[in-house]
Amino acid sequence: MAQNVYDTPDFFEGYSRLGRSVHGLAGAAEWPVIRTLLPKMKGLRVVDLGCGFGWFSRFAAEEGAASVLGLDLSENMISRARAENAGPAITYEIADLERIELSPAAFDLAYSSLAFHYLEDFGRLAAEVHAALLPGGKFVFTIEHPIYMASARPGWRMDEAGQKFWPVDGYSVEGRRMTDWLARGVVKYHRTIGTTLNTLIDCGFAVRRLIEWHPSADEIAANPALAEEMDRPMILMISAER
C-alpha cells in the first residue's frame, strides 16, 4: 500500500494552506501549460488519478465531460473533494493507485497531477491505465522532475563561490527517496526520464509530448519567487496516447 501522509493531521493542515489547495487550478503556476496538453473535454469519460481536492475533476465536468471518476488514497482528500468540488457527473472514490484495478476500455482520458512519484511500481499503474483507455485515449500527467527529486538531500545549496545550485547526485540510482516536506519522512520513488518514457512505450503508449516546465516571463514578473524555477526543472509533464 502506498504511504498515506495526506491523512496525517499536520501534513494535511500544511497542504491545505498551499496556494494550489486554496485557489485550485488557478493557484498552480503550471496549469496554463498543462491545459495545452489536454483534449477537449466535451463528452469524454475521465479518470483523475490522485484527484486530491478534486479541482481537476470539477474542471473536466464543467468543460463538458460525460463522467469523471476521481480517485485518491486519502480519506481527507476525498472528503474535501466531495464537499467542495462535487457535481452530477463526478464520482469520488478512495483508491490506492499501487493496487488499483480499472474497468477495461472505460475511459477516454486518464489524468494525474503530481501523484505518480509516490508510487513504487509505476509500470503496473501504466499498464492498468493503458487497458482502461479506449484506442486513441489520452494519458496526461505531471510528476516531480527526476532532477528535482534525485538527490538524497534535495534543496538549494551554496558553493564555495557563493553560487546557488541544486544537487543531482544519485540521478542514475533509482528507487526510494525519503524527504521532509510538510512532514518528516515523506516517501517518494525516483525514476529517470528514460525509465518513465520507456515504461510508457513498453506498455503500448505513444508518447506525444514531454515538457520540462518552467514559468513564463510574465509569471515571474507577477511572482518573482518563481524565478528560481528557471535554474532547475521541478515538474515534468507527459502526454501519451493509447
Side-chain angles (χ1 to χ4, degrees), residues 126-183:
E128 192 70 24
V129 171
H130 186 271
L133 288 172
L134 288 164
K138 304 297 191 296
F139 187 20
V140 177
F141 65 92
T142 68
I143 55 174
E144 287 187 356
H145 197 290
I147 284 178
Y148 176 79
M149 64 178 299
S151 178
R153 294 191 301 116
W156 294 110
R157 301 184 196 174
M158 302 293 288
D159 63 19
E160 294 179 354
Q163 296 296 312
K164 184 176 69 173
F165 70 96
W166 188 275
V168 290
D169 51 292
Y171 182 84
S172 295
V173 181
E174 299 183 313
R176 182 185 173 102
R177 298 290 192 272
M178 186 174 291
T179 63
D180 296 336
W181 179 66
L182 300 179

Side-chain angles (χ1 to χ4, degrees), residues 23 39 69 71 115 141 166 187:
H23 303 294
L69 175 60
L71 303 175
F141 65 92
W166 188 275
V187 176

Side-chain angles (χ1 to χ4, degrees), residues 64-106:
S67 65
V68 185
L69 175 60
L71 303 175
D72 204 285
L73 178 62
S74 166
E75 292 184 15
N76 283 341
M77 292 291 196
I78 292 297
S79 177
R80 183 73 67 86
R82 287 170 175 164
E84 298 183 1
N85 289 305
I90 307 173
T91 300
Y92 292 112
E93 296 180 4
I94 296 172
D96 183 356
L97 300 186
E98 291 277 18
R99 303 177 179 180
I100 193 171
E101 294 183 0
L102 299 170
S103 299

Side-chain angles (χ1 to χ4, degrees), residues 206-233:
V207 177
R208 298 305 188 196
R209 199 76 173 168
L210 181 149
I211 298 175
E212 297 172 287
W213 177 81
H214 62 79
S216 68
D218 288 343
E219 287 173 324
I220 293 172
N223 182 4
L226 288 174
E228 68 178 18
E229 302 302 332
M230 300 298 290
D231 294 331
R232 57 95 180 90

Side-chain angles (χ1 to χ4, degrees), residues 122 171 174 190-202:
F122 175 63
Y171 182 84
E174 299 183 313
H190 166 65
R191 286 173 284 272
T192 66
I193 293 177
T195 291
T196 298
L197 294 183
N198 287 330
T199 298
L200 293 170
I201 293 168
D202 290 345

